Every structure is written in C-alpha cells, then in structure tokens.
C-alpha cells in the first residue's frame, strides 16, 4: 500500500538545474526519515542526502555537497531534491526512499523505495 513516486527527471545540459519530487502515500509521511539515492550504470547505489521529520538534513557524497539540497513538505507528503550546476557525472537513476521510522536505518536499509526517475546530463 505504500507508494513513493518520483518525478522531475529528464535530459539537461551541464550547468543546468533540476528539482526532483517524491510523492508519498500509504504511510505516515511526517514520521519517516526520507532520503534520496542514485545509481549510475556499473556503479553501486549511492546515498545522496537525507532529511528527518523536522527538516534536519544529512549530507551524502562530497561530489554533490554544495550543489544538491534535500527538503520536505510534510503537508504535501513530498520530499524534494534541488540539483544545481549539474555535471555529466550526475547522470543516474535517482530513487526516493523512506526508512519506515523517524530514524535513518543502519546500512541504508530503507524499508520503502520508489521506482526511480532518470537524470541525464549532457556535456
């Protein structure tokens, strides 16, 4: 019954910006620690950023710090990922995840996952 649906991906040029959205249903959204992950072809899944119920954020890879920002709107059951100054190496499938509790799970073992949205950045 829990569904996470990502949107906002697409094809952009290096230096452009995108804002990804993740709409949640079937769960108490405000009581779930939320996160964004990404996975490029041939690469392992990578933690991008996380956000608590109160809006406190957890940084991910050094390569995206200062360019990406996670946020949430509990009234809309939605989490966002603002991506600025996109680079070709940001090309990946981006996934929204919910921990199933107010706490971030150990080993990034999130309980619920969206189907992903593709981001492609051309040089």
């Amino acid at each position: 019954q829990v569904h996470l649906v990502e949107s906002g991906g697409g094809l952009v040029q290096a230096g452009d910006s995108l804002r990804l959205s993740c709409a949640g249903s079937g769960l108490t959204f405000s009581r779930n620690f939320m996160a964004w992950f990404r996975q490029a072809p041939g690469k392992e899944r990578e933690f991008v950023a996380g956000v608590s119920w109160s809006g406190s954020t957890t940084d991910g890879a050094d390569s995206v710090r200062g360019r990406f920002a996670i946020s949430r709107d509990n009234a809309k059951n939605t989490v966002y990922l603002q991506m600025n100054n996109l680079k070709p190496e940001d090309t990946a499938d981006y996934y929204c995840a919910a921990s199933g509790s107010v706490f971030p799970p150990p080993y990034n073992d999130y309980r619920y996952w969206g189907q992903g949205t593709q981001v492609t950045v051309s040089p």
Side-chain angles (χ1 to χ4, degrees):
Q1 188 176 348
V2 173
H3 296 282
L4 300 174
V5 181
E6 302 94 335
S7 62
L11 174 64
V12 298
Q13 192 173 4
D16 287 351
S17 297
L18 281 175
R19 190 177 79 159
L20 306 182
S21 298
C22 172
S25 63
L27 78 168
T28 305
F29 185 85
S30 63
R31 297 186 64 83
N32 272 264
F33 187 92
M34 304 294 296
W36 284 96
F37 290 81
R38 68 182 183 182
Q39 188 166 22
K43 301 292 185 179
E44 294 185 352
R45 185 187 63 191
E46 179 182 39
F47 177 80
V48 175
V51 60
S52 75
W53 65 273
S54 63
S56 298
T57 59
T58 300
D59 293 332
D62 290 340
S63 61
V64 306
R65 291 178 184 176
R67 298 189 297 117
F68 292 9
I70 190 172
S71 62
R72 68 191 297 163
D73 187 338
N74 290 332
K76 295 182 177 181
N77 290 343
T78 302
V79 62
Y80 305 96
L81 183 67
Q82 178 67 46
M83 304 184 294
N84 297 324
N85 192 24
L86 284 161
K87 304 178 184 298
E89 51 263 41
D90 296 321
T91 296
D93 289 332
Y94 284 74
Y95 297 90
C96 176
S99 74
S101 77
V102 297
F103 305 109
Y107 315 112
N108 290 329
D109 188 21
Y110 285 75
R111 183 174 296 180
Y112 307 111
W113 294 84
Q115 65 184 52
T117 185
Q118 188 176 41
V119 173
T120 302
V121 185
S122 300

